[in-house]
Amino acid sequence: DAGDASTSNTVDYLIIAGGGGGGASVNCFTSGGGGGAGGYRISFPNPATGGTSVSAQAYPVTVGGGGTAGANPNPYTANAGGKGANSVWNGITSAGGGAGGSYSQGGCRPGGSGGGAGTNPSAPSRTGGTGNTPPVSPSQGNNGGTSSGGDGGNASGGGGGIGGVGGNASGSTKGPGGAGSPSTISGSDVTRAVGGSGQGNPSSVDATAGTDNTGNGGSGSSSAGGVSRSAPGGAGGKGVVIIRYKYQN
């Protein structure tokens, strides 16, 4: 039904896309980058405009799925993760998170927040993906972190989050995922859109998937020096669309 024009014909929204999948590791001295968080667009609380005006009609909702985990089809080639899918409501689109890079598919993977760069022992440092791609205002995300190169490094960068850039790797130390942002639009204080962590190479670490309905990025995996193994990255978390409205006066 149509709301009372003086109090209840507007809504607030939170639209988060699917997070990017983390990159895989292969053989020794490699690590996959963390997936970028899904784009994060919110109007709550919005005292300046009083919310977004709506009418009594159907409003289709698209909730973006998380990006696929980076796979490792053979001992020498590791795949990057998959990009998260977009979430859409009322003509407002949040872009899927950028995928975490890998051994053969390094960095520069853009999205709502950018994916972290993966490593290759014979490659120099790589640059993470660009966030807020495509650009909107306010920004829907941040850049992913860089990897460290060469046999003395080989740590991967973290995926960007809505609350900060993905951390840059330093030597054998991983870049952490970018921070998320808390919101009480659902009635509880929940932090969402966190970037996936990169990995270092002092030890072998399995990946962690992003939590569904948060748009968090999946982490990368790592294979330590002297350890011959391949390990997939973590899948990105599915996004979420939340609409908050006043239902009685």
Side-chain angles (χ1 to χ4, degrees):
D1 294 330
D4 180 335
S6 65
T7 58
S8 61
N9 64 347
T10 64
V11 302
D12 279 305
Y13 60 81
L14 172 62
I15 306 171
I16 304 178
S25 59
V26 58
N27 220 321
C28 59
F29 285 120
T30 64
S31 59
Y40 182 105
R41 304 187 69 180
I42 190 169
S43 70
F44 173 82
N46 198 350
T49 64
T52 300
S53 295
V54 291
S55 58
Q57 65 179 50
Y59 285 88
V61 176
T62 300
V63 178
T68 56
N72 36 294
N74 64 56
Y76 301 103
T77 303
N79 284 344
K83 184 177 181 179
N86 296 349
S87 289
V88 185
W89 175 78
N90 195 26
I92 302 165
T93 300
S94 291
S102 68
Y103 175 87
S104 61
Q105 299 165 297
C108 299
R109 309 186 78 81
S113 282
T119 67
N120 181 329
S122 61
S125 175
R126 293 159 154 178
T127 303
T130 304
N132 195 32
T133 304
V136 294
S137 181
S139 174
Q140 62 180 314
N142 289 285
N143 296 346
T146 62
S147 64
S148 54
D151 287 334
N154 283 300
S156 53
I162 183 58
V165 299
N168 295 331
S170 177
S172 60
T173 302
K174 69 181 182 182
S181 179
S183 170
T184 58
I185 191 171
S186 63
S188 300
D189 194 351
V190 181
T191 296
R192 304 177 178 89
V194 179
S197 175
Q199 299 294 355
N201 68 21
S203 60
S204 296
V205 179
D206 290 331
T208 301
T211 304
D212 278 344
N213 305 125
T214 64
N216 292 352
S219 79
S221 65
S222 65
S223 297
V227 178
S228 180
R229 76 165 201 151
S230 297
K238 183 170 68 174
V240 67
V241 175
I242 298 173
I243 308 300
R244 180 176 173 130
Y245 60 94
K246 187 173 183 177
Y247 64 92
Q248 68 184 48
N249 293 323

